[in-house]
Amino acid sequence: MALLRSLSAQRTAISLVYGRNSNKSSNSVAVAACRSFHQRGSRSTSIAGEGAASESTRGVNGARFLHSGERPLQASTLVQPELVSSETLKRSMKQESSQEKNPSPAGSPQRDPLDVSFNDPIAAFKSKTTGELIRAYLVYMICSSEKLVEHNMTLMKWSKNVLGQRLFTALMKATFYGHFVAGEDQIKIIPTLERLRSFGVKPILDYSVEEDITQEEAEKREVESSVSSAGDKKEEGSMPQYHVDKSFADRRYKVSSARTYFYLNEATCERNMEIFIKCLEAVSGATFGTGITAIKLTALGRPQLLLQLSEVIMRTRKYMEDMVGGQGNVLTHHKTIKDLEKYYATLGDNKDVKEFLNNVTSDKEGILHLFPWSGIVDEDSQLSDTFRVPDPQTGQMRRLISQIPPKEEEMFRNMIRRLNTIVKAAADLDVRIMVDAEQTYFQPAISRITLEMMRKYNKDKAIVFNTYQCYLRETFREVNTDLEQAKRQNFYFGAKLVRGAYMDQERDRAKSLGYPDPVNPTFEATTEMYHKTLSECLRRIKLMKDCDDDARKIGIMVASHNEDTVRFAIQQMKEIGISPEDKVICFGQLLGMCDYITFPLGQAGYSAYKYIPYGPVEEVLPYLSRRAQENKGVLKKIKKEKRLLLSEIRRRLMRGQLFYKPKGNYVPI
């Protein structure tokens, strides 16, 4: 705690020196547009858009590609050459020489011009020692070997047995661990975080210890924790997508990029909560109020509860579709309480129907929710009693969720309590929380709970961020609906946009269980979905700026390793007049991947993040294995990074900078 207090004092001092006011747009718009985006009373100068790490996905027909993709976009995208041209090198060297002769004045943060081709090796690697560059090049060489990567976990375990713990740890720190992981605990990672910050980059922290369990053990745990003690009752109207299937019970199947938690017991969930809070404390102590912690809801409770809640949400949509026609959730139908009263008029003076209508959440624009969702995160409401709707023929109340035994109701309350504890700690420490996306059969519940946490905690600034996977067909509609809820219920909306991590698994599961494939058919369709969703978020931000509303009520994280997507975001920002100082858009990549994108962005004054894993060497081997697998699948991206690394190593050798010591004078936006 003494260390945290000391770092907090440093943060205050640095804020006084480097504090900057954000610019406000003075553009005017038509009165009609402003009226459509009604004014809200609250104002905030806190950061809304803080970033997070991206996940990975695979290409169609088995071709793997990173969450940011391998293939170039179509003609509508800015296309830049990938080769490190002599002109680029000359310009970089001239710029570096100028900075050496005329360094930034003391107390003045440095800003560099941004090369949007991301071909500048000096800008990419000025935060690295030459030894770190050589290590990175070696790691990428190993990742280029399919045989080595395919058997990487076996090789690491064999090396540990042969070398012993001490030599194995040294080997890992000299290679994969040293490249992809920041350190063993929240104290040892501080030098890495401070160096990142001095080069304009902020952290998203994650304690990356993972259980190395067999497929049989994973399947056993998942099946046991996904079925109620009352049995897996598939009642009339139930949806197969939201019930466990042993064939897909090991959620690591065909997923190399996303971390997976398997439920063991409530005590394990409590430990996970404590780990997340320690991450928050580490971020708060070392990042001067700009850091983020990533969490997964499956780490905090039984998956069965998320499955059942997800099914309730989708059955509610089906109920509304049957009642009023059309597709989508309650919000998209723009029905009022009077419309519902007319619909139920034939049922007469029914006490249950009246009570149901009294609990419907609505405003002057129509119905928001059929159920009192606030009770899910605030009160001790019973799930099986909450989710009931009137039968339109008989008037009897129909359950949309199976009867849940009291012990499992208590488990749900415990899961929500843990999440509340984490988010409250984040709010107290001024740290952001990114709730990661998971499989589609969990995601409706995760998104709904996360949105309620936004409504509860994002009153003055964005503390909680949700994650949206753009390879899904429904992503644009989901984001639009959630943006509308945030506007109508007056809370700050935070979103991390990723391509996604579970594509092959989702496709296989949908085909096997007989429900529609939720994934976009092609890589190009996913890219279009990503850009369309991002454009809609930016359009709304622009409207808010032009209407003199607080544009920071929408904060977006562009979590992508795809150069074209990053360029698209930058170009859109420029075209509609959103500057980095507005603090509504930020960018994020994984530690040890795509430094040639992250660091130039941070050094040019954009809000840039690295996803920072940490943990003991022997306990992060599953994480390291996934990073190796992920890099194997993006050979084109590795090629560029290797080429830039080699170019910078050669340049330093030629200039006698073998013992170059990184020293940055950048202040993150």
Side-chain angles (χ1 to χ4, degrees):
M1 288 306 292
L3 175 65
L4 291 179
R5 282 195 293 271
S6 169
L7 289 166
S8 179
Q10 292 176 34
R11 175 176 61 191
T12 305
I14 285 181
S15 297
L16 290 171
V17 175
Y18 296 130
R20 304 186 338 161
N21 295 323
S22 64
N23 299 325
K24 218 172 188 180
S25 172
S26 58
N27 297 340
S28 60
V29 294
V31 173
C34 288
R35 283 177 182 164
S36 71
F37 239 85
H38 55 79
Q39 297 291 332
R40 291 184 283 255
S42 62
R43 293 289 184 270
S44 171
T45 56
S46 62
I47 296 172
E50 304 296 0
S54 53
E55 301 177 44
S56 72
T57 185
R58 306 184 188 203
V60 184
N61 300 324
R64 302 184 66 244
F65 57 91
L66 193 62
H67 130 95
S68 5
E70 291 176 11
R71 288 180 277 178
L73 299 182
Q74 303 307 308
S76 61
T77 312
L78 288 173
V79 179
Q80 301 290 346
E82 286 205 342
L83 293 174
V84 185
S85 66
S86 58
E87 287 79 8
T88 301
L89 283 172
K90 285 176 185 175
R91 186 170 64 249
S92 299
M93 291 170 72
K94 186 176 179 181
Q95 179 187 321
E96 184 195 40
S97 177
S98 172
Q99 288 168 3
E100 287 172 357
K101 291 176 184 176
N102 302 297
S104 299
S108 169
Q110 188 175 329
R111 289 284 180 264
D112 295 344
L114 178 64
D115 171 20
V116 292
S117 70
F118 298 108
N119 275 314
D120 185 348
I122 295 176
F125 304 121
K126 65 168 69 174
S127 65
K128 301 281 192 293
T129 66
T130 307
E132 287 167 338
L133 298 185
I134 294 169
R135 179 182 66 197
Y137 189 78
L138 173 65
V139 165
Y140 284 128
M141 287 290 288
I142 295 171
C143 288
S144 300
S145 168
E146 288 204 22
K147 293 217 172 198
L148 286 175
V149 172
E150 187 180 343
H151 303 289
N152 74 86
M153 198 64 178
T154 304
L155 288 170
M156 283 193 284
K157 289 178 178 178
W158 177 82
S159 300
K160 184 179 175 182
N161 291 334
V162 171
L163 298 174
Q165 184 63 53
R166 190 171 174 183
L167 283 176
F168 174 74
T169 298
L171 175 64
M172 285 294 102
K173 287 184 176 179
T175 53
F176 281 89
Y177 181 92
H179 184 66
F180 291 118
V181 183
E184 293 171 281
D185 55 45
Q186 54 260 55
I187 302 300
K188 291 180 181 177
I189 65 174
I190 288 176
T192 299
L193 302 187
E194 288 178 343
R195 198 203 301 184
L196 286 174
R197 180 178 173 79
S198 72
F199 285 92
V201 176
K202 296 168 283 188
I204 305 131
L205 218 56
D206 179 45
Y207 187 66
S208 295
V209 170
E210 299 180 28
E211 284 186 285
D212 182 20
I213 60 176
T214 64
Q215 179 182 335
E216 290 73 23
E217 175 64 17
E219 289 174 351
K220 179 173 178 288
R221 284 200 206 175
E222 188 72 0
V223 170
E224 287 176 355
S225 60
S226 296
V227 177
S228 170
S229 59
D232 188 16
K233 297 178 182 176
K234 295 183 181 176
E235 301 167 350
E236 184 183 351
S238 66
M239 301 177 172
Q241 181 176 357
Y242 303 102
H243 293 262
V244 69
D245 185 275
K246 190 174 185 297
S247 304
F248 298 92
D250 185 351
R251 286 182 277 118
R252 300 168 300 183
Y253 169 73
K254 290 191 176 181
V255 176
S256 66
S257 60
R259 183 177 176 185
T260 303
Y261 290 90
F262 291 99
Y263 181 86
L264 183 60
N265 51 43
E266 293 294 285
T268 304
C269 295
E270 288 291 320
R271 282 198 297 274
N272 290 336
M273 178 191 74
E274 290 166 5
I275 287 168
F276 289 144
I277 291 174
K278 284 180 181 177
C279 285
L280 290 170
E281 291 170 347
V283 167
S284 175
T287 62
F288 310 94
T290 59
I292 298 171
T293 292
I295 68 170
K296 279 191 185 295
L297 226 55
T298 49
L300 301 175
R302 276 177 72 93
Q304 166 220 337
L305 303 166
L306 295 174
L307 284 170
Q308 288 184 287
L309 196 53
S310 292
E311 185 171 15
V312 162
I313 292 166
M314 302 315 290
R315 289 181 71 179
T316 304
R317 291 187 185 182
K318 183 71 169 62
Y319 180 81
M320 282 297 291
E321 288 168 14
D322 293 343
M323 186 166 65
V324 302
Q327 292 186 332
N329 53 40
V330 176
L331 195 75
T332 60
H333 293 290
H334 300 288
K335 296 295 178 182
T336 65
I337 297 289
K338 287 189 177 179
D339 292 327
L340 285 187
E341 287 173 348
K342 287 178 187 175
Y343 185 77
Y344 296 125
T346 57
L347 299 175
D349 189 21
N350 187 303
K351 185 184 76 171
D352 289 335
V353 173
K354 281 186 176 179
E355 186 181 349
F356 170 77
L357 291 172
N358 285 336
N359 286 327
V360 170
T361 307
S362 67
D363 62 10
K364 62 183 181 182
E365 295 182 47
I367 295 169
L368 285 160
H369 309 299
L370 287 185
F371 309 112
W373 284 105
S374 59
I376 298 300
V377 295
D378 291 333
E379 301 163 11
D380 291 330
S381 56
Q382 298 296 302
L383 291 178
S384 46
D385 292 334
T386 299
F387 301 117
R388 299 189 306 155
V389 293
D391 187 291
Q393 272 74 46
T394 65
Q396 291 183 328
M397 298 304 290
R398 233 166 56 190
R399 292 186 191 278
L400 292 178
I401 191 169
S402 304
Q403 186 74 43
I404 298 177
K407 184 178 179 182
E408 288 164 21
E409 287 270 10
E410 183 184 355
M411 288 178 177
F412 181 79
R413 301 255 60 87
N414 283 337
M415 179 171 67
I416 298 301
R417 171 185 56 78
R418 291 175 193 120
L419 183 59
N420 261 312
T421 302
I422 292 166
V423 179
K424 188 176 185 307
D428 292 342
L429 293 166
D430 192 23
V431 176
R432 280 79 184 145
I433 286 282
M434 287 277 180
V435 180
D436 281 341
E438 303 193 47
Q439 284 88 348
T440 52
Y441 44 91
F442 293 138
Q443 198 54 44
I446 292 170
S447 289
R448 180 69 258 163
I449 292 169
T450 303
L451 212 65
E452 281 306 303
M453 289 293 167
M454 283 191 206
R455 189 188 59 78
K456 183 175 180 180
Y457 291 97
N458 289 10
K459 292 177 180 176
D460 299 315
K461 58 186 171 184
I463 296 294
V464 182
F465 284 69
N466 197 10
T467 302
Y468 297 89
Q469 300 188 98
C470 293
Y471 66 32
L472 297 175
R473 298 171 190 262
E474 293 296 311
T475 299
F476 178 77
R477 189 177 297 156
E478 297 292 339
V479 172
N480 228 349
T481 301
D482 291 352
L483 280 164
E484 193 64 23
Q485 290 189 67
K487 187 181 87 168
R488 285 167 63 173
Q489 297 185 81
N490 195 28
F491 59 82
Y492 283 68
F493 175 79
K496 175 177 71 169
L497 300 182
V498 302
R499 272 185 166 76
Y502 308 100
M503 187 171 75
D504 287 351
Q505 182 188 110
E506 294 281 12
R507 282 211 167 106
D508 288 356
R509 191 175 189 269
K511 186 177 179 181
S512 176
L513 300 187
Y515 58 87
D517 183 356
V519 178
N520 285 318
T522 64
F523 174 82
E524 288 75 20
T526 292
T527 296
E528 183 183 350
M529 177 68 75
Y530 198 120
H531 291 187
K532 180 182 175 183
T533 305
L534 176 58
S535 295
E536 174 62 17
C537 295
L538 290 168
R539 184 189 70 81
R540 286 177 177 254
I541 292 168
K542 176 70 162 62
L543 272 178
M544 296 175 82
K545 281 188 68 174
D546 289 346
C547 294
D548 202 31
D549 202 348
D550 185 1
R552 297 183 193 186
K553 285 204 165 176
I554 299 174
I556 305 299
M557 166 55 186
V558 180
S560 177
H561 296 101
N562 185 298
E563 293 176 41
D564 290 325
T565 292
V566 172
R567 275 192 287 269
F568 176 85
I570 292 169
Q571 181 177 330
Q572 290 281 296
M573 288 172 69
K574 288 178 179 175
E575 286 178 1
I576 65 178
I578 294 174
S579 70
E581 286 79 13
D582 288 325
K583 299 181 180 180
V584 294
I585 301 293
C586 55
F587 301 85
Q589 291 82 34
L590 291 161
L591 183 71
M593 292 177 66
C594 292
D595 287 349
Y596 64 90
I597 295 176
T598 317
F599 285 94
L601 284 171
Q603 288 152 193
Y606 287 86
S607 183
Y609 282 84
K610 277 294 191 189
Y611 184 92
I612 310 290
Y614 71 97
V617 175
E618 63 276 10
E619 294 181 45
V620 298
L621 294 186
Y623 175 84
L624 294 175
S625 176
R626 288 197 285 107
R627 288 289 77 84
Q629 291 282 352
E630 192 169 4
N631 277 283
K632 180 192 77 171
V634 284
L635 294 179
K636 181 181 175 183
K637 215 162 290 294
I638 286 182
K639 261 186 186 177
K640 178 166 183 176
E641 193 123 19
K642 280 164 61 181
R643 185 167 62 247
L644 289 169
L645 281 164
L646 199 55
S647 173
E648 178 61 3
I649 292 168
R650 284 172 179 162
R651 189 193 67 81
R652 289 191 189 178
L653 290 175
M654 287 170 61
R655 296 192 65 184
Q657 292 183 335
L658 184 61
F659 301 104
Y660 166 81
K661 291 185 179 178
K663 189 174 182 182
N665 185 33
Y666 301 88
V667 175
I669 194 74

